[in-house]
Amino acid sequence: MPAHQSGRSVFDLGTYLDAASQAVDRTLDRALPRATRKPATIHKAMRYSLFAGGKRMRPALCLAASEACGGEWAGALASAAAVECIHTYSLIHDDLPAMDNDDFRRGKPTNHKVFGEGVAILAGDALLTIAFEILAETPISKRYPLKTQLTELTQTAGSLQLIAGQVADLEGEGKRLSQTDLRFIHERKTSALLCTSVRLGGMSANCSPTQLESLTTFGYNVGLAFQVIDDILDVTQSTEKLGKTAGKDTAAQKATYPAIVGLEKSRKIAQQLTDKAFSALGAFKGKATALEAIADYLLKRDH
Ligand code: GRG
């Protein structure tokens, strides 16, 4: 139920996020082949990581952006499900021995630990591919034809954004990176998909060009803040709390904000980025309650 249409006087983010997760999970469940569909291993592997208990922040941002622009969740669910498929694919591949070599994700053994490396690679490939099939079902929006929306997602997933960030991250391991180098990685590895999540949400609601610009500023800054907080949590929280191996960045000699500027300054930077995100929401006149609440939650989260 969209926040501004709920009639509730007090907005409850927990209830909102639960409802958003359920709606997105139903869309994903309908879109993916059944786990028993031949060859069952690949469909089990796709579903294993997709339904392993992720926070569903990108879909929630997508739905909240759509309602900030006067849209209904129903119109944004295809975009929300598509961005979650891209995100889950990137996590499966990131955890592979050839990349971050992680055993634990979303509180469970990683995909390759359960299904083997070959199937994990293919499960990631299949989730990447199905994301575009799901987005292709998005309802028509006057200002944003399907080509525009598909290009938005392909460019974010491609070699100039998500993959560029991952390459720069891999190549930066063990090197002394500057804050500018780190910003380059964070913009691509993390911020790009969060930004696209809100942009696609806005597009699904046929947002105005000005609204799209505001959503872009919001998504860019929330995305950067998200990664700074992720870096902080890596050194301050336990593996159990995070559902993924804590302390990995230090072990892999990765450049992170806490490593370069220290914890206190990193917290300040995350707050400044979130403030910038908030100030982009002025144009939505009371319809951005959920976007604001999610940005605040992302800043204060502990996992
Ligand atoms: C293209 C293989 C490939 C990778 C691209 C996205 C990415 C780069 C790698 C994934 C690992 C990683 C550390 C990404 C940065 C973004 C991030 C902090 C992801 C974790 O997102 P959460 O906390 O995860 O939303 P859940 O599990 O809750 O969905």
Side-chain angles (χ1 to χ4, degrees):
M1 165 81 60
H4 66 283
Q5 293 172 12
S6 67
R8 277 174 281 146
S9 51
V10 180
F11 174 73
D12 179 44
L13 182 64
T15 309
Y16 184 87
L17 291 178
D18 284 349
S21 291
Q22 282 167 26
V24 170
D25 284 4
R26 276 194 300 273
T27 307
L28 288 166
D29 186 44
R30 275 198 292 267
L32 257 71
R34 304 272 111 225
T36 48
R37 180 87 179 266
K38 233 174 155 179
T41 317
I42 187 66
H43 301 126
K44 279 196 186 114
M46 290 163 77
R47 284 173 172 272
Y48 173 79
S49 291
L50 200 53
F51 297 110
K55 294 186 289 295
R56 302 288 194 244
M57 284 301 136
R58 292 149 193 83
L61 283 166
C62 179
L63 298 180
S66 130
E67 69 185 60
C69 301
E72 301 281 338
W73 279 11
L77 278 169
S79 315
V83 293
E84 186 62 24
C85 287
I86 300 274
H87 171 55
T88 305
Y89 127 75
S90 79
L91 298 179
I92 295 175
H93 280 197
D94 185 62
D95 290 335
L96 288 167
M99 301 232 192
D100 264 11
N101 192 17
D102 225 312
D103 294 351
F104 200 51
R105 169 75 69 181
R106 292 179 162 172
K108 291 185 169 182
T110 43
N111 201 289
H112 65 272
K113 283 277 155 193
V114 178
F115 296 95
E117 277 182 56
V119 170
I121 292 170
L122 293 167
D125 292 342
L127 285 170
L128 170 65
T129 318
I130 207 167
F132 302 108
E133 190 181 325
I134 294 172
L135 184 59
E137 293 301 323
T138 201
I140 306 283
S141 137
K142 264 195 188 156
R143 292 193 183 95
Y144 308 97
L146 190 54
K147 182 180 175 215
T148 306
Q149 298 195 46
L150 282 169
T151 306
E152 171 79 25
L153 195 59
T154 55
Q155 288 185 343
T156 288
S159 66
L160 293 175
Q161 295 295 333
L162 220 53
I163 289 173
Q166 184 74 346
V167 171
D169 197 33
L170 283 173
E171 290 180 349
E173 277 182 23
K175 292 196 185 128
R176 281 172 72 97
L177 297 189
S178 66
Q179 233 174 294
T180 312
D181 297 330
L182 196 56
R183 179 61 68 100
F184 177 94
I185 295 174
H186 288 187
E187 280 173 350
R188 286 154 186 81
K189 184 176 94 165
T190 312
S191 180
L193 189 57
L194 276 107
C195 190
T196 278
S197 303
V198 290
R199 279 172 56 87
L200 284 174
M203 288 183 199
S204 76
N206 198 37
C207 64
S208 70
T210 314
Q211 286 176 321
L212 190 62
E213 213 178 298
S214 302
L215 288 176
T216 306
T217 307
F218 173 83
Y220 172 79
N221 286 292
V222 158
L224 288 178
F226 187 90
Q227 186 59 56
V228 178
I229 296 292
D230 197 72
D231 287 356
I232 293 173
L233 295 177
D234 185 69
V235 289
T236 57
Q237 295 291 346
S238 66
T239 296
E240 290 67 38
K241 188 86 190 171
L242 295 179
K244 61 182 180 181
T245 318
K248 281 283 288 189
D249 295 340
T250 317
Q253 292 185 289
K254 276 200 181 171
T256 63
Y257 270 89
I260 293 182
V261 302
L263 267 178
E264 263 333 286
K265 179 112 191 271
S266 301
R267 288 196 179 103
K268 249 186 215 145
I269 291 173
Q271 178 71 63
Q272 284 163 355
L273 289 163
T274 306
D275 290 345
K276 277 191 198 161
F278 277 142
S279 42
L281 295 179
F284 294 103
K285 298 192 186 92
K287 285 188 170 179
T289 314
L291 279 181
E292 269 172 24
I294 295 171
D296 185 56
Y297 165 76
L298 291 179
L299 178 71
K300 294 176 181 154
R301 72 197 167 103
D302 61 6
H303 67 289

